[in-house]
Amino acid sequence: MHDAKVFRSMHKERFGAEPAIFVGPGRVNLIGEHTDYAEGFVMPAAINFSTLAGISPRTDGKIAIYSENQGEERVFDDGVQVKRIQHWTDYPMGVTAILAGEGHKIPGFSLSIWSDVPLSSGLSSSAALEVATALAVLSLVGAGYPGPKLARLCQRAENEFVGSNCGIMDQFISLNAQKDHALLLDCRDLSFKLAPIPDHVALVIANTMVKHSVAGGDYPTRRRESEAACAVIASHRAGVPFLRDATLEDLEKWGSEMEPKSYLRAKHVISEDLRTVAACEALLKGNMKELGRLMAEAHRSYSQDFEGSCVEADAMVALAQDLPGLIGARLTGGGFGGCTINLVEQTEATGFAKALGARYAEKTGIAPQIHVCHASGGAHRLE
Ligand code: GAF
């Protein structure tokens, strides 16, 4: 965690004013992958890696954005922009533009950003940045929104301004998470159920170091393929606008009319919704064995049917299987690289992390980063 005092004085020195500071956490998804944009179920938790956004007003109408991670400052002389410039500032500027579009009169401001959420690793560095920025800009105009509504606005910034067609999961959990809990989210109506993560369970996040990107080609391709399967079902049965509304029986009935790949993508999405709801039940009942079994099946489905994994992530999951303390392991997030989530008995977590890291390095020749994390609270102002 960055020292907030250092961050504060860095902002003051650069921009000559005291900042208000906001925190947006990254997240790990325990189960429910590529189901959010199909209006299905996901079960993420926020983690103790986060983005800080420090803001102070300006009198010249300009917007200055500085990232300590990028080591770069951009100044927008005419304030809020309406179009992306294919640059990291698109995320904070996108959020600002969406808020302006909601009728907020945005004055000039200076924004400093720092983050320890690993980039392009499937831990929602983008959402953490969007959410921290949204709270910062709203504080400037003296406005606020309920968490679910603000999550939608941040998602719109990513969909409409940045141009990446993600679902609602990441922004939602970053804003609405509760410490020591996972959250089962119904991505249709944004209702949710909190599930406590027992004290004896650690979240061990293993970074394969293979970069993943939601904006890149594979994520939208998978989305299109699964939506094509949904269209086939919808052509036979009314009331299936999203795969959330389809059943495995529908898939068997009309699957022969689908491209083979679309059939498999839909098989993953429809079965993943069932697994996610069941996983929440298992967690609530303290049935760790069942939770682990569902995570294993989810990984198999994500890797083989959805083809959303990669050799390194499959290796990271396989290498975890016989290590002491493992409850369940799977690839988390948008796919094609990034991190695996391992639920591990707390007493074994340190040894597990060490052994998994060594095994992975030996197998792949890549030095991974393994973090023993805990479930954190949602975005907030730092006092
Ligand atoms: C990324 C997206 F941003 C989410 O909306 C979600 O679709 C996820 O990939 C896959 O479950 O994190």
Side-chain angles (χ1 to χ4, degrees):
M1 180 68 181
H2 193 282
D3 185 339
K5 263 196 199 149
V6 176
F7 183 69
R8 190 179 294 280
S9 47
M10 179 277 295
H11 181 99
K12 217 169 152 187
E13 211 167 282
R14 176 170 288 269
F15 294 118
E18 191 77 38
I21 302 177
F22 298 82
V23 186
R27 66 100 187 93
V28 68
N29 190 19
L30 303 190
I31 191 165
E33 232 59 88
H34 287 260
T35 46
D36 60 351
Y37 53 76
E39 298 207 343
F41 296 90
V42 294
M43 192 166 68
I47 52 174
N48 50 314
F49 285 95
S50 54
T51 296
L52 299 184
I55 198 162
S56 57
R58 300 174 66 111
T59 48
D60 58 6
K62 297 180 183 181
I63 293 179
I65 309 179
Y66 168 70
S67 159
E68 233 187 300
N69 300 74
Q70 304 288 340
E72 189 189 357
E73 179 181 328
R74 277 277 165 121
V75 180
F76 298 88
D77 287 342
D78 43 358
V80 184
Q81 306 293 295
V82 290
K83 266 204 188 131
R84 65 172 164 263
I85 54 169
Q86 314 275 15
H87 188 252
W88 59 266
T89 50
D90 287 346
Y91 292 91
M93 186 54 84
V95 168
T96 310
I98 290 289
L99 292 175
E102 289 295 290
H104 299 291
K105 212 176 157 335
I106 314 275
F109 62 81
S110 303
L111 185 75
S112 299
I113 290 157
W114 171 88
S115 186
D116 65 359
V117 186
L119 291 185
S120 307
S121 300
L123 300 177
S124 290
S125 54
S126 315
L129 174 53
E130 290 154 15
V131 158
T133 304
L135 293 187
V137 172
L138 284 171
S139 79
L140 211 60
V141 297
Y145 288 97
K149 167 78 181 159
L150 189 55
R152 281 278 184 227
L153 294 174
C154 290
Q155 182 197 11
R156 277 184 52 206
E158 191 151 342
N159 293 165
E160 297 168 23
F161 195 97
V162 177
S164 132
N165 61 347
C166 66
I168 187 71
M169 168 167 67
D170 304 348
Q171 294 78 8
F172 192 94
I173 189 68
S174 184
L175 278 159
N176 300 289
Q178 280 210 20
K179 192 172 173 345
D180 299 329
H181 287 74
L183 183 154
L184 176 73
L185 176 66
D186 180 338
C187 298
R188 168 153 289 164
D189 61 8
L190 302 189
S191 59
F192 62 88
K193 201 190 261 183
L194 288 166
I197 298 178
D199 283 350
H200 67 90
V201 178
L203 308 179
V204 181
I205 295 175
N207 193 339
T208 62
M209 311 307 279
V210 177
K211 294 285 177 199
H212 121 114
S213 140
V214 170
D218 291 322
Y219 182 98
T221 305
R222 290 299 182 281
R223 184 171 175 165
R224 266 198 307 278
E225 287 166 348
S226 64
E227 286 171 350
C230 189
V232 170
I233 297 172
S235 72
H236 292 283
R237 187 160 84 74
V240 188
F242 293 94
L243 279 178
R244 151 71 178 274
D245 306 294
T247 63
L248 290 169
E249 291 73 43
D250 292 332
L251 194 65
E252 290 322 310
K253 219 161 161 186
W254 296 299
S256 60
E257 294 174 29
M258 298 168 189
E259 291 287 330
K261 279 186 177 170
S262 283
Y263 166 85
L264 286 170
R265 307 313 182 230
K267 187 172 168 224
H268 165 76
V269 175
I270 298 169
S271 61
E272 185 83 343
D273 272 336
L274 299 171
R275 279 188 294 272
T276 304
V277 173
C280 182
E281 284 297 302
L283 182 56
L284 286 169
K285 286 189 184 135
N287 188 345
M288 294 300 143
K289 199 164 170 226
E290 176 64 358
L291 179 58
R293 188 191 70 74
L294 289 162
M295 288 175 76
E297 178 50 26
H299 184 77
R300 192 217 57 77
S301 171
Y302 198 15
S303 177
Q304 291 172 25
D305 296 343
F306 203 75
E307 293 184 86
S309 187
C310 61
V311 178
E312 293 82 358
D314 286 346
M316 192 73 95
V317 168
L319 293 169
Q321 293 308 316
D322 62 345
L323 287 177
L326 180 75
I327 294 166
R330 53 175 291 280
L331 172 62
T332 188
F336 314 103
C339 295
T340 67
I341 167 70
N342 302 266
L343 296 188
V344 179
E345 290 298 340
Q346 193 76 60
T347 49
E348 305 280 0
T350 311
F352 177 95
K354 222 171 149 202
L356 181 60
R359 280 184 173 186
Y360 181 79
E362 197 195 338
K363 173 99 186 161
T364 62
I366 304 169
Q369 283 172 5
I370 318 249
H371 312 282
V372 179
C373 294
H374 59 260
S376 306
H380 59 276
R381 182 173 181 160
L382 211 73
E383 295 308 333

